[in-house]
Amino acid sequence: MRVGAVVLDRQSVVPLYYQIQQGLSEQIRSGELKPGALMPSEQEIAARLGVSRMTARQALKSLCSRGLAFSQRGRGTFVSRMKLEKNFRQLLSFSEEMKDRGSQPRSRVLAFRKIHPGEDVVEALHLNPAEEVILLRRVRMADSAPLCVEATHLPARLCPDLLENFEPSGSLYRALAEQYGLQVHMADEVAEASIATEAEAKLLRVREKSPVFRFMRTAYLHNGQPIEFVKSIYRGDRCRVVNRLTRQLENRQLSSSVLVQGGG
Amino acid sequence: MRVGAVVLDRQSVVPLYYQIQQGLSEQIRSGELKPGALMPSEQEIAARLGVSRMTARQALKSLCSRGLAFSQRGRGTFVSRMKLEKNFRQLLSFSEEMKDRGSQPRSRVLAFRKIHPGEDVVEALHLNPAEEVILLRRVRMADSAPLCVEATHLPARLCPDLLENFEPSGSLYRALAEQYGLQVHMADEVAEASIATEAEAKLLRVREKSPVFRFMRTAYLHNGQPIEFVKSIYRGDRCRVVNRLTRQLENRQLSSSVLVQGGG
DNA sequence: CCCGTCCGGTTGTATAGACGACTGGACATA
DNA sequence: TATGTCCAGTCGTCTATACAACCGGACGGG
């Protein structure tokens, strides 16, 4: 029930709802608000912090959308009982992911040059037929042991002179953001279970026919334009895919009720 | 720019923002609003449909959160260029998923009984040490060919008499919802790449050591209480894992600016 | 031609208030 | 006891308004 711990800075550029959300979020992390506990109501937050109810509501809703809480009409908003220490749904570059896990990322560059792409790449990146792409093929290592072989394809049009500007063992996402203002926003990923070919096994330092993941990932800018297509092979013994799935019952129910009520 | 096609029913129980969202959503699906196109602004929707700007805004925001659109401050809201016919992150039961794909779901029941669970199940379902679970082990088939072997564990406490009430070749999620009021809301899933054991290969009708996915999935109710723990083995040649990842730059940037501004 | 200024349009944030729907408990009634 | 009614608290929806931040084009000055 205590909102007192949250202090607002009304001069800050950080929105009020965000400050409130951060404060509550911190209270959940610290255990001050325990899983299952009733959170302060919208009115209570509004009254104690001197904001309007809609602002308080926006803070609570963003906690809900992040999965930290859930609301029940007529009852209140409660802290979720789910663990969420994982980076569900977070799109991280290899470097970022290794850093989050406390491992040392390293790369061995196998290729870094301009090529004429294959059909799958053309389709994934929405390229014109004759358009060239930059290929970066690397063996990526965590703590000195190979983790995956990764082939990245970028439309040459969007990052001219990348071959000269980019040190290919570094963080590609950072270079795209800093040098070209290209911010990756989301990605679609398809994973298959497979076994390593002889060549792959050699690069990954595993036995032939060891289990591996094959990923195909297409990354997009904020406006939906494809910016990157990656094919990668991960060692099955060093990698898991973690997902969070949601069941969107609301949509299904509501849309059917719209239909029932006469098509608009 | 045309909002005229959307007609609101102010007597309906369906919220206005939802009716608007459905209308716009339909215009996107039908191609009337093309990828990359500028959507009607909040003000325009508000004026044309006679609702307040906040209501129009809520409709647009929900389109954004569903990935159908994106907003740019000072410019407008645009239709996303991303394809999204896939059920990204949608938690579907096996029966629902097969139906969506136009396949005929079938099951062969291997076991359906009460057991004392192993440690992994106890931990995943947050059980008391002596608590029993209902085990349902099935070979699941699509179009008459085996797709996976699935072992579902449910806390017996939450669905008493399920052994008597449920026809184990049917849809479990429907039974849980209709008979016990238990609605699955979300699930965490871990996938590993592996190869089939001899017994698994026999059930799946593949060669031994064929590539397979191993899934471990924990499903939760709306309040975060675990309701189901599933271990399943999918044939690698008949199954892909499709994901959508998002890059939450906003949070990272904002939270760091909060820190910079003095931890208040 | 280049550059800065201004301005209209757009989204982001915030306020204040209103009503409806639902929950759970207190209370009164049969 | 069992049942129904009322009520305070809460979230869901909706309105009306205001200002800030930002984008892009028009315009004008150099």
Side-chain angles (χ1 to χ4, degrees):
Chain A
M1 307 285 177
R2 302 191 57 257
V3 200
V6 178
V7 181
L8 296 186
D9 175 3
R10 296 190 96 95
Q11 310 312 318
S12 167
V13 295
V14 179
L16 292 179
Y17 81 89
Y18 197 88
Q19 295 184 40
I20 298 171
Q21 184 232 54
Q22 288 289 301
L24 293 171
S25 183
E26 177 52 35
Q27 290 183 29
I28 293 174
R29 257 198 305 280
S30 74
E32 194 173 340
L33 282 171
K34 293 185 170 47
L38 180 63
M39 302 193 60
S41 74
E42 296 170 359
Q43 287 202 355
E44 185 171 354
I45 293 174
R48 297 223 193 188
L49 297 182
V51 299
S52 81
R53 190 189 143 204
M54 292 306 291
T55 302
R57 179 177 173 78
Q58 196 174 356
L60 286 175
K61 291 289 295 217
S62 65
L63 286 178
C64 292
S65 75
R66 283 173 48 196
L68 271 71
F70 62 97
S71 291
Q72 287 183 13
R73 190 192 195 124
R75 295 197 60 206
T77 303
F78 303 83
V79 181
S80 170
R81 285 197 184 82
M82 249 160 304
K83 303 175 185 175
L84 23 120
E85 68 276 14
K86 297 281 183 186
N87 280 319
F88 292 110
R89 295 181 182 178
Q90 256 286 39
L91 172 58
L92 294 176
S93 74
F94 184 84
S95 314
E96 290 167 336
E97 195 160 342
M98 289 306 106
K99 201 175 139 196
D100 269 22
R101 286 171 44 168
S103 297
Q104 184 70 25
R106 275 189 27 223
S107 296
R108 185 154 63 87
V109 177
L110 303 176
F112 186 35
R113 61 174 190 274
K114 222 178 263 190
I115 64 165
H116 288 281
E119 276 186 26
D120 52 347
V121 180
V122 170
E123 186 187 337
L125 293 178
H126 297 173
L127 299 177
N128 299 322
E131 210 173 336
E132 283 188 318
V133 299
I134 294 174
L135 165 68
L136 173 54
R137 193 150 177 271
R138 298 185 277 193
V139 177
R140 316 219 62 168
M141 288 165 282
D143 301 323
S144 307
L147 180 58
C148 72
V149 184
E150 190 181 82
T152 302
H153 305 75
L154 304 160
R157 162 177 45 93
L158 295 180
C159 42
D161 307 323
L162 187 74
L163 290 177
E164 289 78 34
N165 296 335
F166 175 57
E167 167 50 48
S169 60
S171 170
L172 179 60
Y173 279 19
R174 182 182 298 173
L176 288 176
E178 290 178 358
Q179 296 181 28
Y180 301 93
L182 299 171
Q183 290 202 337
V184 174
H185 177 244
M186 63 196 314
D188 288 336
E189 190 172 79
V190 178
E192 295 177 351
S194 178
I195 50 181
T197 66
E198 188 182 341
E200 290 161 356
K202 209 166 184 178
L203 288 169
L204 293 173
R205 298 186 196 282
V206 294
R207 278 197 296 274
E208 201 181 331
K209 297 184 182 171
S210 295
V212 294
F213 282 107
R214 291 179 193 279
F215 288 99
M216 280 143 293
R217 188 176 73 193
T218 309
Y220 301 89
L221 302 179
H222 195 271
N223 65 2
Q225 180 172 34
I227 174 65
E228 182 198 44
F229 178 67
V230 185
K231 286 195 268 194
S232 50
I233 298 99
Y234 274 75
R235 281 173 59 161
D237 61 344
R238 295 196 70 196
C239 168
R240 295 173 149 196
V241 177
V242 179
N243 267 334
R244 169 152 293 174
L245 312 168
T246 61
R247 189 169 173 83
Q248 297 171 344
L249 280 178
E250 311 165 29
N251 285 0
R252 300 204 157 197
Q253 287 175 350
L254 279 178
S255 60
S256 63
S257 65
V258 168
L259 289 178
V260 164
Q261 294 188 1
Chain B
M1 304 289 177
R2 304 191 56 256
V3 200
V6 178
V7 180
L8 297 186
D9 176 3
R10 296 190 97 94
Q11 310 312 317
S12 167
V13 295
V14 178
L16 291 179
Y17 81 89
Y18 197 87
Q19 295 183 40
I20 299 171
Q21 184 232 54
Q22 288 290 302
L24 293 171
S25 183
E26 177 52 35
Q27 290 184 30
I28 294 174
R29 255 198 308 278
S30 74
E32 194 172 341
L33 282 170
K34 291 184 172 47
L38 180 62
M39 302 193 61
S41 74
E42 297 170 357
Q43 286 200 358
E44 185 172 353
I45 294 174
R48 297 224 192 186
L49 296 183
V51 300
S52 83
R53 190 190 142 204
M54 291 306 289
T55 301
R57 179 177 174 76
Q58 195 175 356
L60 287 175
K61 292 290 295 220
S62 65
L63 286 178
C64 292
S65 75
R66 282 173 49 194
L68 270 71
F70 61 97
S71 291
Q72 286 183 14
R73 189 194 196 122
R75 294 198 60 206
T77 303
F78 302 83
V79 181
S80 172
R81 284 199 184 80
M82 248 160 307
K83 303 176 185 175
L84 21 121
E85 67 276 15
K86 299 278 186 188
N87 281 317
F88 292 109
R89 293 182 191 171
Q90 253 287 38
L91 172 57
L92 294 176
S93 73
F94 184 84
S95 314
E96 290 167 335
E97 197 160 340
M98 289 307 107
K99 200 175 139 197
D100 270 20
R101 286 171 45 169
S103 297
Q104 184 69 24
R106 277 191 24 223
S107 296
R108 185 155 63 86
V109 177
L110 305 175
F112 187 36
R113 59 173 192 275
K114 222 178 262 191
I115 64 165
H116 288 281
E119 277 186 27
D120 53 348
V121 180
V122 170
E123 187 185 337
L125 293 178
H126 297 177
L127 299 177
N128 299 322
E131 210 172 336
E132 282 187 318
V133 299
I134 293 174
L135 165 69
L136 172 55
R137 195 151 174 269
R138 298 184 276 193
V139 178
R140 315 217 65 166
M141 288 166 281
D143 301 325
S144 308
L147 181 59
C148 73
V149 183
E150 191 181 82
T152 302
H153 304 75
L154 304 160
R157 163 177 45 91
L158 295 180
C159 42
D161 307 320
L162 187 74
L163 291 177
E164 289 78 35
N165 296 336
F166 175 57
E167 168 50 48
S169 60
S171 171
L172 179 60
Y173 279 19
R174 182 183 297 174
L176 288 176
E178 290 177 358
Q179 297 181 28
Y180 300 94
L182 299 171
Q183 291 201 336
V184 174
H185 177 246
M186 63 197 311
D188 288 337
E189 189 171 80
V190 178
E192 294 178 352
S194 179
I195 50 181
T197 66
E198 188 183 339
E200 290 162 355
K202 207 166 186 177
L203 288 170
L204 293 173
R205 299 188 196 280
V206 294
R207 279 197 295 276
E208 201 180 331
K209 296 184 181 170
S210 295
V212 294
F213 283 107
R214 291 179 192 280
F215 288 100
M216 279 144 292
R217 187 175 75 194
T218 309
Y220 302 88
L221 302 179
H222 194 269
N223 65 3
Q225 181 172 33
I227 175 65
E228 181 197 45
F229 178 67
V230 184
K231 286 196 270 194
S232 50
I233 298 98
Y234 274 76
R235 280 173 59 162
D237 61 344
R238 296 198 67 196
C239 166
R240 295 173 147 195
V241 177
V242 178
N243 266 335
R244 170 151 290 175
L245 312 167
T246 63
R247 188 168 173 83
Q248 298 171 343
L249 280 177
E250 311 165 30
N251 284 359
R252 299 204 158 200
Q253 287 174 350
L254 279 178
S255 61
S256 63
S257 64
V258 167
L259 288 177
V260 164
Q261 294 189 1

